[in-house]
Amino acid sequence: QVQLQESGPGLVKPSATLSLTCTVSGVAITSNYYYWSWIRQSPRRGLEWIGYISYSGSYTYNPSFRSRTSISRDTTKNQFTLQLTSVTPEDTAVYYCARSSGDGTYITIPNDVWGQGTQVTVSS
């Protein structure tokens, strides 16, 4: 059974860097052909896809977040991490990690497994 679990601070100060980790169990994050995403949800902005890192280590970001986003991975711990710089109160949201499946060229089953989500509040 594949499970994803987000972890990180629940409160971040404005202008700081938000760092979250997703720990994956049940499958290696290097397994073909999975894509590991960060997604957030807020009442004001709804669901927003931030970006993903693939089974091969390549990554793709939402253009809206590209300038201040970095997604990396630690294959020894089977984890992937989100860093979002220069946060503002607009970045307050529930952050999810999720898995998508593909065929090596395209994502064919988007976001079929989700973590439970973690609330992040940006406030001084």
Side-chain angles (χ1 to χ4, degrees):
Q1 181 182 2
V2 178
Q3 293 185 319
L4 286 71
Q5 179 67 59
E6 305 89 350
S7 59
L11 181 65
V12 182
K13 294 187 183 300
S15 79
T17 296
L18 182 162
S19 294
L20 296 174
T21 296
C22 183
T23 301
V24 179
S25 60
V27 65
I29 60 173
T30 55
S31 297
N32 295 341
Y33 296 105
Y34 294 124
Y35 302 80
W36 306 95
S37 288
W38 286 101
I39 299 164
R40 72 182 190 184
Q41 183 173 28
S42 64
R44 180 174 178 179
R45 305 172 76 96
L47 271 175
E48 296 179 286
W49 172 73
I50 300 170
Y52 70 68
I53 188 165
S54 77
Y55 58 95
S56 67
S58 64
Y59 49 83
T60 298
Y61 301 142
N62 181 331
S64 298
F65 294 94
R66 184 178 296 140
S67 64
R68 57 192 189 102
T69 297
S70 176
I71 298 177
S72 60
R73 66 180 186 172
D74 185 337
T75 58
T76 65
K77 297 180 179 179
N78 216 39
Q79 296 175 332
F80 62 104
T81 299
L82 168 70
Q83 289 197 315
L84 187 66
T85 63
S86 305
V87 296
T88 72
E90 290 287 303
D91 293 307
T92 295
V94 178
Y95 285 76
Y96 297 92
C97 55
R99 184 194 76 174
S100 297
S101 303
D103 61 4
T105 303
Y106 302 106
I107 290 176
T108 54
I109 306 175
N111 306 318
D112 59 337
V113 182
W114 293 66
Q116 65 182 23
T118 187
Q119 173 71 47
V120 176
T121 301
V122 179
S123 175
S124 55

